[in-house]
Amino acid sequence: MFTNDQLKAREEALRILRYIEAEELTDEDRSQITKDSIENFANHVNPGWLEYRKSVSTDSACIEWSDTEENFRDLYGNEFIDFLGGFGIYTCGHRNPYILKYVKKQLDRYALHSQELIDPLRGYLSKLMSMVTPGDLQYCFFTNGGAEAMEMALKLARLATGGKWYISTVGAFHGKSMGAISMGGKGAYREDYAPLIQHVQHVRYGDAEAMDVAIQNLRAVGESVAAVVIEPIQGEGGVIIPPDGYLKAVREVCDKHGVAMVVDEIQTGMGRTGTMWRCDYEGVTPDIMAYGKAFGGGIMPITGIIARPNMWNQKLIENPWILGSPTFGGNPLACSAAIAAISYTLENDIPRQAREKGQFLMKHLKALQEKYPGVLVDARGAGLLIALEFPSSEVGYHVTKELFARNVMTAGTLVNAKTVRIEPAAVMSYETLETGMKRLDEALAVTAEKFGL
């Protein structure tokens, strides 16, 4: 027997499904969905989320409802240029037709796997990853979110090396699970969860010598080090690009001390920064590499790690579950999306598109920086991972609000908007990119006047 609330839930579910199924919504539907969404977030998700999204809200909540390759639409059909790109998810665009076709085909066959039999798409995807990643990276493990992928990387480093300590960097961001947040280098994300994993030492980003010294000091007092954990570009940290040669120098430090080099390519990978992987920029092969975001083609959530053969030791072969056993990791639907995303990325040279369109944007941004030096303090980036820096978070928030009022979506970094990210799809047309720049010009002009900059 079901309770009264459960019977009401059945009716509520049917009402919601009618919205999903509808070809066209009525004005009454739109009004109700908006009202429901505000109440549901306030009472069942987190009321803080509505407050957090004030920087892009108008008088009433903007409800995302549909999308095209370049844009998303709200309930009323208003189109917004997506300069945020889901923090790097939509490198191949929203609902890319090529990728979507194969996901639908797989959905018509079977969606999830039995957990016991061999699922071929996971094997095919692993082989493809060994072909498109640097050097001798070979063995894959698929997960569902970026933090989960980093957890697997941290565990694998200890299994493979026998070491205990990790060296991370100040300003780093690797996710918000306990292990991943322990690697993070921003106090705002860490302080409420202390004590975290204790065997972590943070050094200055971009300074390979500091890593070398940290490892030497730990060994001098009888400790062992499992891995160095770094982003090739700090994304959430504000799109901080290290000096050329940094990754090579870190690779040399790791080789010198026999510790694993773990590189977090979750945001920088799949062509986002102008090369297939940011590691390719310096010709470096990590021991373990994490990937995600754009890996699912902007359609399915899938992340993971890939490791060199020497990392995949006998313990993992004897007990394949020792690293982890995510129920939905590497499921057929997600694998079909990732396989299609790799195919599309190679066929359409997404890294080249990101590189060239990034150069196009940077030319416009540098001109805007000269025009509004008091507002736009800096513009920097690699490919289509770009940061706009403002003199304060308040100024940055105002720019994002003015952009959103002009139907352009952006967002800040490190829980503030002093630095705002620009991460459009690599398939976005030059015409749309230029329109976005014109609207940014208008937003900067209004902000300069408001703050007297």
Side-chain angles (χ1 to χ4, degrees):
M1 291 290 292
F2 293 118
T3 66
N4 284 337
D5 278 350
Q6 289 168 338
L7 291 172
K8 288 178 183 177
R10 181 185 66 181
E11 296 303 315
E12 177 71 352
L14 288 171
R15 182 176 73 90
I16 299 163
L17 290 171
R18 282 193 288 270
Y19 293 143
I20 296 172
E21 189 180 32
E23 293 294 329
E24 289 288 337
L25 295 172
T26 66
D27 286 343
E28 184 181 354
D29 290 336
R30 295 185 182 100
S31 178
Q32 187 63 50
I33 291 169
T34 300
K35 179 175 178 289
D36 290 343
S37 297
I38 293 170
E39 289 180 358
N40 290 337
F41 268 76
N43 297 321
H44 303 291
V45 181
N46 186 337
W49 194 255
L50 296 170
E51 180 72 18
Y52 174 70
R53 287 298 173 200
K54 263 191 178 176
S55 63
V56 293
S57 292
T58 49
D59 291 334
S60 61
C62 180
I63 308 297
E64 188 172 348
W65 191 249
S66 63
D67 60 10
T68 65
E69 282 192 78
E70 296 186 351
N71 308 317
F72 68 88
R73 298 189 188 100
D74 69 10
L75 270 175
Y76 294 89
N78 299 309
E79 275 200 341
F80 293 79
I81 296 173
D82 187 1
F83 265 18
L84 174 59
F87 300 107
I89 294 170
Y90 295 113
T91 304
C92 292
H94 292 247
R95 275 191 314 126
N96 181 296
Y98 179 89
I99 299 167
L100 185 60
K101 175 178 71 173
Y102 292 102
V103 175
K104 285 182 173 179
K105 288 288 186 183
Q106 181 58 39
L107 182 60
D108 286 339
R109 182 170 292 110
Y110 70 111
L112 301 176
H113 53 305
S114 69
Q115 310 293 320
E116 183 64 18
L117 303 179
I118 297 295
D119 44 307
L121 296 190
R122 181 155 39 137
Y124 283 132
L125 180 56
S126 298
K127 180 181 178 181
L128 283 172
M129 283 300 288
S130 74
M131 297 168 75
V132 300
T133 50
D136 61 346
L137 289 168
Q138 180 177 348
Y139 289 102
C140 287
F141 188 98
F142 299 121
T143 48
N144 306 282
E148 188 182 14
M150 287 306 299
E151 294 289 343
M152 298 305 110
L154 299 175
K155 290 167 70 178
L156 179 57
R158 280 189 172 176
L159 279 172
T161 67
K164 303 303 179 189
W165 280 76
Y166 302 98
I167 310 298
S168 187
T169 59
V170 175
F173 181 80
H174 298 288
K176 295 174 184 170
S177 57
M178 287 297 278
I181 209 169
S182 298
M183 302 302 125
K186 179 69 175 178
Y189 289 135
R190 294 167 49 90
E191 54 198 17
D192 289 327
Y193 300 106
L196 296 164
I197 293 177
Q198 298 298 291
H199 290 69
V200 184
Q201 191 168 130
H202 293 81
V203 300
R204 186 172 62 180
Y205 185 68
D207 186 347
E209 186 178 348
M211 286 184 171
D212 191 9
V213 171
I215 295 171
Q216 288 186 56
N217 288 344
L218 284 167
R219 289 195 160 170
V221 296
E223 301 287 356
S224 60
V225 179
V228 161
V229 183
I230 57 167
E231 299 159 275
I233 294 173
Q234 286 191 337
E236 180 71 5
V239 188
I240 307 301
I241 302 171
D244 284 351
Y246 176 59
L247 292 185
K248 281 187 176 179
V250 172
R251 177 72 273 178
E252 290 170 3
V253 168
C254 291
D255 290 341
K256 172 183 172 182
H257 295 289
V259 305
M261 181 181 183
V262 176
V263 175
D264 180 347
E265 289 260 16
I266 289 166
Q267 187 163 188
T268 53
M270 292 294 287
R272 168 60 59 181
T273 62
T275 50
M276 188 68 178
W277 310 96
R278 186 62 182 178
C279 290
D280 294 330
Y281 178 73
E282 290 193 19
V284 167
T285 300
D287 296 299
I288 304 168
M289 189 175 82
Y291 44 85
K293 293 197 182 292
F295 186 56
I299 292 175
M300 292 297 298
I302 179 169
T303 62
I305 61 172
I306 186 167
R308 301 175 82 172
N310 63 309
M311 293 286 107
W312 223 257
N313 62 20
Q314 195 60 32
K315 282 184 179 179
L316 280 165
I317 295 169
E318 291 173 357
N319 181 2
W321 305 112
I322 192 172
L323 190 59
S325 54
T327 301
F328 302 112
N331 70 74
L333 275 184
C335 285
S336 67
I339 291 166
I342 291 171
S343 173
Y344 186 88
T345 296
L346 298 173
E347 182 68 25
N348 295 275
D349 200 347
I350 290 298
R352 177 188 58 78
Q353 289 197 56
R355 185 168 62 252
E356 292 176 355
K357 289 172 183 176
Q359 291 166 353
F360 174 82
L361 287 179
M362 287 303 299
K363 181 180 177 182
H364 281 270
L365 292 170
K366 289 301 180 184
L368 289 173
Q369 188 182 350
E370 289 183 15
K371 189 175 180 180
Y372 305 103
V375 182
L376 186 55
V377 175
D378 189 24
R380 58 181 176 271
L384 289 173
L385 178 56
I386 295 171
L388 311 181
E389 189 168 331
F390 303 99
S392 70
S393 184
E394 186 182 12
V395 170
Y397 271 127
H398 193 268
V399 173
T400 63
K401 287 181 73 171
E402 291 297 328
L403 277 172
F404 196 75
R406 291 163 177 77
N407 289 31
V408 179
M409 166 68 85
T410 55
T413 59
L414 286 178
V415 297
N416 69 62
K418 189 174 187 293
T419 304
V420 168
R421 270 178 284 191
I422 302 288
E423 296 189 55
V427 297
M428 188 172 283
S429 69
Y430 282 98
E431 182 182 5
T432 303
L433 292 171
E434 189 151 17
T435 298
M437 289 296 100
K438 287 177 181 176
R439 294 178 188 178
L440 176 60
D441 191 341
E442 295 170 6
L444 291 169
V446 171
T447 304
E449 183 176 355
K450 176 178 173 61
F451 289 90
L453 298 171

